[in-house]
Amino acid sequence: MTVAEERSEGSGPDDGADADLRLLQQTLAEVRRVIVGQDHMIERLLVALLARGHCLLEGVPGVAKTLAASTLATVVGGTFARIQFTPDLVPSDIVGTRVYHPSSERFDVELGPVFVNFLLADEVNRAPAKVQSALLEVMAERQVTLAGITHPLPRPFIVLATQNPVESEGVYPLPEVQRDRFLFKVSVAHPSAAEELEILHRMSVAPPLPSRVLDPERLTALQKLADQVSVHQLVADYVVRLVMATRSPAEYGLGELEEAIEIGVSPRATLGLVAAGRGLALLRGRDYLLPDDVRDVAVDVMGHRLMLTFDALADGVDPADVVRRVLAAVPPPLVVWNQAQR
């Protein structure tokens, strides 16, 4: 039964909205039953699913990036594949290739491991440029072209990629065009002392196993509900002002950022702020977007899309701090919603 069918069985729209919220909260709770802490990462992963966006997780080894991605795939349902990216990887290892069968004297297409609902690209920045180029078509077009024939990927489809920001040996930095394809880049920090103790108690003997809560059909229905989250014109204007402040900082009282920002964020950031904000609003039980939703996702949506100058990179300027300065300088609108506006 799909979410839409569940809603139709209720006594009214409020019952359907409550059922959707309970389903999403149950999904979060099931992931958190396995993953200790990292609430921000878990929430962003689910929002990325609702917004049909890919997510890049950046953190040192051992902070549950891979475990979180595989756990979420199990809870949400659908097919799942993990590819360990290495320097000797070639495009055919991930998208597939043509194989000659002597018995039939013909070439057959063998599809690669990317033909799943959830693709975990582990240590994605270790693969060379040709592999990144093949992955770019997968992420952008959600299809693979082999021998002149286009093969669409299953729907829903999401790439959950991980990378280590510290290690530099054998690493190929992701090109800007590929980083722009990720809806989120989430920085994953070490757990606190209390969380570390809970990890010891929970994972040292018999680690909990996640149970499936959703399925691809229900996830697709929830994605359509996220698309229907209403966006007030004032909120849309606020999103545009945030984006334009990264391209023309001086016009927004941020002249000091002119020397730090080489190129502002792309139009995909504008679309990403709205899509991610809608997913977060749905997760919070609302069918309308607030400026606070946009502000909450702004750092994860805009930070990796900023291109800083050489001097800023040499000085160790953090793109997240630049986005926070933009958020502080661009005032949000005051939006008052009523029943007639929804």
Side-chain angles (χ1 to χ4, degrees), residues 44-232:
R44 290 297 179 267
L45 286 174
L46 186 54
V47 170
L49 285 177
L50 295 174
R52 300 184 182 87
H54 309 297
C55 189
L56 176 62
L57 305 177
E58 183 177 79
V60 297
V63 291
K65 302 185 301 296
T66 301
L67 180 61
S70 60
T71 299
L72 182 66
T74 301
V75 173
V76 174
T79 53
F80 171 78
R82 172 185 175 181
I83 303 177
Q84 188 69 42
F85 279 50
T86 56
D88 61 348
L89 208 65
V90 295
S92 59
D93 291 333
I94 66 172
V95 300
T97 187
R98 298 177 68 197
V99 178
Y100 180 73
H101 295 279
S103 58
S104 59
E105 296 185 350
R106 67 177 186 181
F107 285 92
D108 290 332
V109 173
E110 296 288 342
L111 299 180
V114 299
F115 286 85
V116 290
N117 297 118
F118 295 88
L119 175 64
L120 173 57
D122 216 354
E123 294 189 282
V124 65
N125 55 336
R126 287 191 176 277
K130 285 187 177 181
V131 176
Q132 302 297 350
S133 178
L135 184 62
L136 185 59
E137 181 187 10
V138 171
M139 295 174 60
E141 309 299 335
R142 287 175 165 81
Q143 66 182 28
V144 169
T145 302
L146 293 173
I149 300 177
T150 299
H151 303 271
L153 294 167
R155 301 297 175 93
F157 174 77
I158 183 175
V159 174
L160 305 176
T162 69
Q163 69 177 15
N164 181 357
V166 178
E167 201 167 358
S168 59
E169 184 176 353
V171 169
Y172 300 82
L174 296 182
E176 298 294 336
V177 64
Q178 186 171 0
R179 294 195 324 197
D180 196 32
R181 298 291 180 177
F182 285 101
L183 174 64
F184 288 138
K185 178 184 175 183
V186 181
S187 296
V188 186
H190 276 126
S192 65
E195 292 169 346
E196 196 82 21
L197 184 60
E198 177 61 24
I199 291 173
L200 182 61
H201 290 317
R202 188 183 302 184
M203 308 298 288
S204 61
V205 181
L209 299 177
S211 300
R212 194 176 76 171
V213 175
L214 294 174
D215 54 53
E217 291 76 18
R218 292 191 175 194
L219 176 58
T220 301
L222 287 170
Q223 289 174 338
K224 293 179 179 178
L225 288 178
D227 293 339
Q228 298 170 8
V229 171
S230 182
V231 181
H232 195 283

Side-chain angles (χ1 to χ4, degrees), residues 51-56 139 175-186 243 246-247 261-276 297-308 319-320 322-323:
R52 300 184 182 87
H54 309 297
C55 189
L56 176 62
M139 295 174 60
E176 298 294 336
V177 64
Q178 186 171 0
R179 294 195 324 197
D180 196 32
R181 298 291 180 177
F182 285 101
L183 174 64
F184 288 138
K185 178 184 175 183
V186 181
V243 170
T246 67
R247 301 177 190 172
I261 300 177
E262 181 75 24
I263 301 177
V265 298
S266 70
R268 287 195 185 95
T270 307
L271 299 174
L273 286 171
V274 173
V297 300
V299 172
D300 297 325
V301 171
M302 300 172 66
H304 62 290
R305 291 182 164 94
L306 278 176
M307 291 185 62
L308 302 183
V322 175
V323 176

Side-chain angles (χ1 to χ4, degrees), residues 268-289:
R268 287 195 185 95
T270 307
L271 299 174
L273 286 171
V274 173
R278 278 173 159 161
L280 186 59
L282 183 65
L283 190 59
R284 292 173 173 175
R286 282 185 278 102
D287 60 355
Y288 54 93
L289 183 64

